[in-house]
Amino acid sequence: MNYYSYPSLSSTYLRFDQQLAFPVVTVCTKNPMDFNSVSLYFDQSFVGHSEIPVVEYTDFYFYETAYMCGCACRRFNVNGTFLTSQYGISSGLFLETTSTELQIAIHDPQEDPNMARDGRTVRNGTETFIEIHRREVSIRYLSTFNFWMDTIHCYGSINDKTEAVLLEGAHNLLDPPVIAIGTHKDKFQDEEQCRKRLESYTDKIFKDSKLHLRSIHLISNTEDVEDAFEKLRNDIFATAKSTANWNREYPVKFIQMEKAINSELTIGKQIISFERLKELGEKIPLPITDNKELHLFLRYQHEIGNVIFFEDIPSYIILDPQWLANAFKCIVTAQQFQLELPHLQWDNFKKTGKMDPKLLEEIFKKQSADMRIHKEHILEVIEKFDIIIYPLLLTESGNVQREHSFFYVPCMLQTLKIKDIDVLFNVPNASKSTCLCFVFSFLPPYLISNLIVSCLREYPLAVVKGEIGLFKDCCVFNIGRTGCAKFVLAKSSHMIQLQVWQWDEVDTEVNQAVLKVVEREINRIVNTRYKLKTVSFEKKWKCETTSFSFDTGFLEFDQVNDGENYYCEEHATVHKYKDYWSGEKSKVMFLFALDYFHLVGIYL
């Protein structure tokens, strides 16, 4: 039997560090008075720190009877902030002492050494050099791990088959399952230290993302026998059997079609036309000649991530998602081309996210021939992914028209205006609605950019003093043609906030229409566009004069009636509630008042 295999892509990352993090040094002694006879020297010319005393207990922290060694201990570089540009026996930390005996441990800032096990004993009358090797522990890798786990969680789900095999009380585990493997166990002093390092990664991920973790394995690349790897293989096999896709039937002709596509990839084709796909379908042993069946095949391949295909832009099929990702980088990391294209104006792009046609043309000139040829299709696909938008603009005559000569890239914006966005637009408090909050237990970082793009399809951008209201995680839109009604979307922490500004009389129908569009688009992005089955939100509200950065003290809908006083936690005072979003409560209360006076009149 011939197994179908997918092509793989490997990349090598090479880095030259000009400065390295200096380790933490813990010094312990049985006699606390011994520290009075310790002199410290750390050469300033080698360290990335401007103010370091030369002969002092620099950055030492005092520990009484630390680590159960019955010792008094001090630490140098306790926060791990010092950097060094030199190494060798002539560089580093020098300690001189006349004490009887010291124990010295060199370790990572995140570790607490066991002095009995990890400490090096230095006795009076001896000269000792301690050689260390750097082990890479980077916040960057932890951030990557967190991003990877959060991304898995976004697309996770709960399925009946998984629930059926889970132990009682573990019914809330999520798919896809993740098995965490700590490699290079042989690089640690013992297995427990390796386990703690792996747990330091898994413990810091978002709590719901942990529900994907099934088990942890520690592997030595050089010392473990076959039994350790067999145990890992058995665990992977058992976990795979519990997933919903296990043993799913798949048409043979689809497998043949995958092989045909793979043959195109092997000769360097990253994108093909639909007509070329039809030719491939006609040549496989079990031909696919019906367009509907081809579309079914492409939809499935698109859903599992093998190809990129949209039925409303059917001219081409992208065979290699990595090729499309490289095309995306032309847009979303366009700043990398600044050194290559220094003669172009980049300031406007960095400030407003506006991609000028000339700038775009120059960027694509630097790309491969197939990207240049298919530039228009690439832009259509990127727009389909809600990354770029050709905006609606309000003309001087009050008409709304779509701009096609340039587009915006909201995710590239770096200018923050959330704190003072209402000041920029000179919005009086009387013109503000209550702040409606979509509160997420987990908010995907890209959702606000997608939502802004969606709203830009419906509403024109607001402009004030020649500056467009589009900023990082924040956007202001015009409602209607006069500009006397606007709304703002703002992301902060775990929520997306919506507030309407109306300089004229409050119109709850306008508010309802805006809310309907925003909520519809959030649901579309979460449930249809990305199928984020584990992402949900609740609608709550805050007072009119809230700060968008205030992320607690929400109030529930139906908790307060129109005209009723409520206590505002943010401002520690009482406000009068006004129903800006439904108008139903005020109508009900008004009808009740009419009926009451009517009854009173009859009685009289």
Side-chain angles (χ1 to χ4, degrees):
M1 179 181 290
N2 293 323
Y3 288 93
Y4 180 71
S5 62
Y6 291 97
S8 61
L9 177 67
S10 300
S11 60
T12 302
Y13 175 70
L14 184 62
R15 184 183 71 195
F16 295 94
D17 283 337
Q18 300 300 316
Q19 291 183 320
L20 299 176
F22 197 83
V24 176
V25 180
T26 297
V27 183
C28 296
T29 177
K30 297 287 186 181
N31 182 5
M33 297 302 295
D34 286 344
F35 284 120
N36 295 332
S37 60
V38 175
S39 297
L40 169 73
Y41 181 72
F42 194 48
D43 196 328
Q44 285 181 283
S45 63
F46 296 153
V47 71
H49 202 283
S50 59
E51 297 179 359
I52 298 180
V54 176
V55 186
E56 289 289 346
Y57 299 128
T58 309
D59 200 25
F60 267 66
Y61 185 82
F62 187 67
Y63 286 83
E64 289 284 359
T65 60
Y67 318 117
M68 297 182 294
C69 66
C71 305
C73 302
R74 291 182 183 271
R75 275 185 178 173
F76 174 78
N77 191 23
V78 65
N79 296 317
T81 57
F82 295 158
L83 304 174
T84 181
S85 59
Q86 298 289 332
Y87 60 90
I89 62 173
S90 61
S91 309
L93 178 70
F94 295 87
L95 292 171
E96 294 181 359
T97 180
T98 58
S99 62
T100 305
E101 181 179 288
L102 293 176
Q103 278 189 305
I104 301 175
I106 299 172
H107 56 95
D108 186 89
Q110 298 179 353
E111 297 176 351
D112 282 336
N114 183 319
M115 296 306 294
R117 181 192 66 198
D118 305 326
R120 177 78 64 88
T121 300
V122 180
R123 292 183 171 83
N124 190 13
T126 63
E127 183 176 318
T128 303
F129 294 93
I130 301 177
E131 179 184 4
I132 64 171
H133 296 275
R134 181 183 185 228
R135 185 173 71 241
E136 180 74 28
V137 181
S138 173
I139 296 298
R140 179 170 63 88
Y141 297 142
L142 179 59
S143 299
T144 301
F145 180 74
N146 288 345
F147 177 78
W148 179 63
M149 289 298 298
D150 287 348
T151 302
I152 289 174
H153 174 65
C154 278
Y155 295 92
S157 63
I158 300 176
N159 68 76
D160 296 336
K161 192 172 183 180
T162 301
E163 290 185 10
V165 300
L166 294 177
L167 297 176
E168 186 178 354
H171 61 280
N172 58 343
L173 289 179
L174 299 176
D175 280 343
V178 174
I179 297 174
I181 302 173
T183 58
H184 294 287
K185 183 177 67 176
D186 49 294
K187 300 297 184 183
F188 292 84
Q189 292 183 350
D190 55 41
E191 184 171 307
E192 186 60 25
Q193 193 179 48
C194 180
R195 185 178 299 278
K196 284 185 177 180
R197 176 53 52 83
L198 183 57
E199 288 176 351
S200 72
Y201 276 65
T202 58
D203 287 347
K204 290 181 175 63
I205 60 178
F206 175 66
K207 63 179 181 179
D208 285 358
S209 298
K210 290 182 182 179
L211 298 177
H212 297 276
L213 287 172
R214 298 295 193 270
S215 58
I216 290 177
H217 290 262
L218 305 178
I219 297 293
S220 168
N221 293 8
T222 59
E223 298 174 358
D224 273 333
V225 296
E226 178 62 23
D227 288 348
F229 294 96
E230 182 65 22
K231 184 179 179 181
L232 175 59
R233 281 193 290 267
N234 290 338
D235 192 15
I236 293 173
F237 183 73
T239 303
K241 286 179 66 176
S242 70
T243 61
N245 291 327
W246 179 261
N247 210 24
R248 174 183 285 183
E249 294 183 357
Y250 192 58
V252 174
K253 60 174 64 177
F254 280 14
I255 297 175
Q256 295 172 348
M257 197 69 192
E258 285 184 33
K259 290 183 178 181
I261 287 177
N262 190 49
S263 66
E264 295 289 288
L265 279 168
T266 57
I267 61 173
K269 297 287 187 180
Q270 278 90 21
I271 181 171
I272 61 172
S273 67
F274 187 79
E275 295 304 316
R276 174 57 181 161
L277 185 79
K278 290 175 64 175
E279 292 177 9
L280 295 174
E282 292 170 355
K283 294 178 181 179
I284 60 177
L286 296 173
I288 302 177
T289 57
D290 183 62
N291 283 356
K292 290 184 179 179
E293 195 170 13
L294 279 175
H295 281 184
L296 178 63
F297 167 78
L298 288 172
R299 282 199 301 272
Y300 175 76
Q301 292 292 311
H302 176 87
E303 286 182 2
I304 64 175
N306 286 345
V307 304
I308 306 296
F309 173 75
F310 294 102
E311 292 192 70
D312 53 350
I313 43 176
S315 302
Y316 293 95
I317 300 97
I318 296 172
L319 306 182
D320 182 8
Q322 183 59 47
W323 179 82
L324 181 63
N326 293 337
F328 278 14
K329 289 192 292 187
C330 300
I331 309 298
V332 298
T333 58
Q335 294 182 51
Q336 69 178 312
F337 302 106
Q338 289 186 50
L339 295 178
E340 299 177 25
L341 305 167
H343 59 286
L344 296 176
Q345 296 295 321
W346 294 92
D347 292 342
N348 192 47
F349 177 69
K350 290 188 288 185
K351 183 179 179 181
T352 67
K354 179 180 176 180
M355 176 63 74
D356 183 84
K358 182 179 180 181
L359 181 59
L360 181 68
E361 191 65 32
E362 291 297 325
I363 289 173
F364 267 91
K365 282 181 181 179
K366 295 287 184 179
Q367 308 311 308
S368 59
D370 53 353
M371 284 190 187
R372 295 196 300 270
I373 293 171
H374 298 98
K375 183 184 76 170
E376 295 305 320
H377 183 73
I378 289 171
L379 292 178
E380 284 184 307
V381 173
I382 294 177
E383 185 180 10
K384 191 75 176 177
F385 275 101
D386 292 341
I387 294 175
I388 66 173
I389 181 65
Y390 295 90
L392 290 172
L393 297 177
L394 189 63
T395 65
E396 293 181 358
S397 59
N399 296 321
V400 177
Q401 65 180 30
R402 177 76 64 188
E403 179 59 59
H404 293 285
S405 61
F406 66 88
F407 56 79
Y408 286 108
V409 192
C411 64
M412 287 299 297
L413 290 165
Q414 299 301 317
T415 305
L416 285 167
K417 289 285 186 181
I418 292 178
K419 289 184 178 180
D420 57 354
I421 188 69
D422 55 339
V423 176
L424 177 65
F425 280 84
N426 194 25
V427 186
N429 290 338
S431 297
K432 300 176 181 177
S433 73
T434 48
C435 185
L436 197 150
C437 305
F438 300 90
V439 183
F440 292 76
S441 58
F442 172 75
L443 177 59
Y446 53 81
L447 198 150
I448 183 63
S449 294
N450 288 164
L451 180 59
I452 287 173
V453 168
S454 294
C455 290
L456 283 171
R457 294 193 179 102
E458 303 270 350
Y459 299 97
L461 273 170
V463 180
V464 61
K465 300 177 182 178
E467 185 175 11
I468 62 169
L470 179 61
F471 307 99
K472 180 177 175 61
D473 294 340
C474 178
C475 190
V476 181
F477 304 87
N478 278 316
I479 307 171
R481 61 182 183 81
T482 65
C484 291
K486 307 178 189 296
F487 74 92
V488 58
L489 288 175
K491 170 186 172 291
S492 180
S493 183
H494 57 296
M495 61 182 174
I496 293 176
Q497 300 163 88
L498 165 65
Q499 188 175 58
V500 176
W501 303 332
Q502 296 184 50
W503 281 262
D504 291 334
E505 185 178 350
V506 173
D507 187 342
T508 56
E509 290 186 1
V510 169
N511 296 359
Q512 289 171 358
V514 170
L515 173 57
K516 184 178 180 180
V517 169
V518 171
E519 189 169 7
R520 180 197 71 202
E521 288 305 304
I522 291 178
N523 282 313
R524 182 189 67 82
I525 295 166
V526 170
N527 299 319
T528 305
R529 175 68 189 85
Y530 291 107
K531 296 180 174 64
L532 308 179
K533 297 180 181 179
T534 60
V535 175
S536 60
F537 62 87
E538 293 181 288
K539 283 192 300 181
K540 299 181 183 293
W541 60 271
K542 302 185 295 179
C543 78
E544 294 90 331
T545 56
T546 184
S547 167
F548 290 125
S549 61
F550 188 77
D551 59 359
T552 58
F554 304 113
L555 289 104
E556 302 284 345
F557 278 88
D558 300 325
Q559 182 176 348
V560 185
N561 293 319
D562 189 60
E564 189 176 2
N565 289 338
Y566 69 93
Y567 183 81
C568 174
E569 182 180 317
E570 180 178 358
H571 299 110
T573 188
V574 172
H575 298 318
K576 186 179 294 291
Y577 177 71
K578 185 173 182 180
D579 182 8
Y580 287 91
W581 298 104
S582 68
E584 294 176 358
K585 293 179 185 175
S586 59
K587 291 176 183 177
V588 170
M589 291 182 67
F590 179 66
L591 290 173
F592 175 80
L594 286 178
D595 289 342
Y596 174 78
F597 286 112
H598 178 67
L599 289 172
V600 171
I602 293 175
Y603 176 78
L604 293 174

